[in-house]
């Protein structure tokens, strides 16, 4: 209500370009801003700028390809749980031959929610719901992600304490986290932030190296026995809980599909 009032007062019309692209299932709002900055988006044939608004009837293109009119209120919402193998890159860039979009080969436009680095495996979401993606990725929300980790040295009590307390990496100190030792060289870790290659960097800072890294849970969704390289659509119950945890109310039609 406040946003509509502000637009009325300032005379702004249409919708922000990043929301337009998100609603059209092209990417998240954050990714849309990156595309705009890279000069990949045009509006009526003119290179777009950050913060630009799109009005009804205008032609929007990404990499020269037209983006259809917004149909977010009627499109089927897709949220997949994917068991990503090692070697697959979480990007929508076609120039990366091992990109996750081509690997999945889903018949509709979807994109990964966040990153899981090339050498890691396990659970990652893929979706066409940009708003849900943004809510999951916002660091301030502190959503949990759980991993199984194997390192090249024995997991000591001192290592566990230091990891839990926070480790200096990337000009910051990681948030306190939960760790449970599961074997001589293995442990489980629950993070509430997603710094670049965070677990690997934390371990390196403490003098060891990650041998295997597998994400087994994101918020309320667990990887379970989903085969490597396969995907499934989230259940109605899982989606409902995701909506609750992100504070959103769905406006989408849902469906259920699986592939192995």
């Amino acid at each position: 209500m406040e946003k509509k009032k502000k637009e009325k007062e300032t005379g702004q019309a249409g919708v922000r370009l990043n929301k337009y692209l998100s609603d059209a299932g092209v990417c998240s709002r954050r990714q849309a801003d990156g595309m705009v900055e890279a000069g990949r988006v045009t509006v009526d044939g003119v290179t777009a700028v950050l913060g630009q608004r799109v009005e009804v009837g205008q032609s929007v293109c990404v990499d020269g390809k037209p983006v259809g009119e917004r149909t977010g209120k009627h499109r089927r919402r897709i949220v997949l749980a994917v068991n990503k193998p090692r070697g697959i890159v979480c990007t929508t860039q076609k120039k990366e031959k091992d990109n996750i979009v081509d690997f999945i080969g889903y018949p509709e436009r979807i994109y990964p929610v966040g990153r899981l680095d090339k050498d890691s495996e396990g659970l990652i979401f893929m979706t066409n719901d940009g708003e849900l993606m943004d809510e999951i990725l916002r660091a301030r929300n502190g959503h949990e992600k759980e991993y199984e980790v194997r390192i090249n040295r024995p997991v000591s009590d001192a290592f566990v304490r230091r990891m839990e307390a926070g480790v200096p990496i990337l000009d910051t100190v990681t948030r306190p986290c939960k760790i449970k030792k599961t074997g001589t060289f293995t442990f489980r870790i629950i993070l509430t932030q997603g710094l670049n290659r965070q677990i690997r960097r934390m371990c390196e800072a403490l003098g060891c190296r990650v041998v295997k890294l597998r994400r087994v849970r994101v918020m309320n969704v667990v990887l379970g026995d989903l085969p490597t390289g396969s995907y499934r659509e989230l259940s109605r119950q899982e989606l409902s809980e995701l909506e609750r945890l992100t504070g959103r109310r769905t406006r989408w039609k849902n469906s259920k599909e699986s592939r192995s």
Side-chain angles (χ1 to χ4, degrees):
M1 183 68 71
E2 192 65 32
K3 182 177 180 181
K4 290 182 179 179
K5 180 180 179 182
K6 183 177 180 181
E7 288 184 359
K8 185 175 181 180
E9 291 174 348
T10 59
Q12 290 180 317
V15 63
R16 289 181 69 91
L17 180 56
N18 59 3
K19 178 171 172 54
Y20 181 99
L21 294 174
S22 173
D23 285 353
V26 175
C27 58
S28 73
R29 294 192 197 189
R30 184 182 304 175
Q31 290 174 324
D33 286 339
M35 289 179 176
V36 172
E37 287 184 310
R40 297 172 56 193
V41 183
T42 61
V43 178
D44 288 343
V46 179
T47 302
V49 296
L50 284 177
Q52 185 168 343
R53 305 183 77 83
V54 180
E55 298 183 22
V56 175
Q58 288 192 299
S59 174
V60 179
C61 293
V62 175
D63 295 333
K65 297 180 180 180
V67 175
E69 291 294 328
R70 289 190 303 145
T71 54
K73 293 183 179 179
H74 306 290
R75 285 188 302 123
R76 179 174 69 93
R77 191 255 296 272
I78 301 164
V79 186
L80 304 182
V82 179
N83 188 349
K84 185 191 89 68
R86 293 182 64 181
I88 298 300
V89 183
C90 294
T91 181
T92 59
Q93 294 292 326
K94 293 291 185 179
K95 63 182 180 182
E96 171 55 65
K97 65 182 180 66
D98 295 319
N99 73 80
I100 195 168
V101 175
D102 287 346
F103 174 77
I104 293 299
Y106 199 76
E108 298 184 48
R109 188 196 295 270
I110 55 175
Y111 39 88
V113 179
R115 298 182 302 267
L116 192 56
D117 68 64
K118 186 173 183 178
D119 295 326
S120 300
E121 58 189 281
L123 179 61
I124 187 165
F125 293 153
M126 295 190 70
T127 187
N128 63 347
D129 185 346
E131 291 185 11
L132 177 64
M133 175 178 175
D134 288 338
E135 288 296 330
I136 292 173
L137 293 178
R138 283 195 178 98
R140 68 172 182 268
N141 291 337
H143 297 311
E144 289 188 347
K145 294 182 286 290
E146 184 171 357
Y147 303 79
E148 294 177 343
V149 188
R150 173 177 288 273
I151 58 177
N152 65 336
R153 292 185 179 182
V155 178
S156 65
D157 292 340
F159 171 85
V160 170
R161 287 194 299 270
R162 293 178 67 185
M163 288 282 281
E164 286 183 327
V167 179
I169 62 169
L170 298 173
D171 298 321
T172 188
V173 176
T174 59
R175 290 178 184 170
C177 61
K178 301 176 184 177
I179 294 184
K180 180 180 180 181
K181 181 177 178 179
T182 57
T184 304
F185 297 94
T186 59
F187 62 92
R188 280 199 174 215
I189 182 171
I190 299 175
L191 301 179
T192 57
Q193 65 184 140
L195 301 177
N196 182 255
R197 297 175 66 86
Q198 180 171 341
I199 296 173
R200 296 179 186 276
R201 292 179 189 275
M202 290 171 72
C203 290
E204 288 170 2
L206 299 183
C208 59
R209 175 175 54 84
V210 170
V211 175
K212 184 176 181 180
L213 181 60
R214 181 171 179 253
R215 185 154 64 195
V216 296
R217 178 173 66 87
V218 176
M219 299 168 68
N220 62 299
V221 180
V222 298
L223 184 63
D225 57 3
L226 184 66
T228 301
S230 300
Y231 66 76
R232 66 175 178 83
E233 290 209 15
L234 299 195
S235 69
R236 188 179 299 275
Q237 182 178 359
E238 287 172 323
L239 284 171
S240 177
E241 180 63 5
L242 269 181
E243 294 286 354
R244 187 189 71 79
L245 291 171
T246 57
R248 297 180 66 241
R249 290 186 178 180
T250 186
R251 55 180 174 79
W252 293 76
K253 294 180 179 179
N254 296 321
S255 68
K256 188 175 181 181
E257 179 180 335
S258 64
R259 186 199 77 173
S260 60

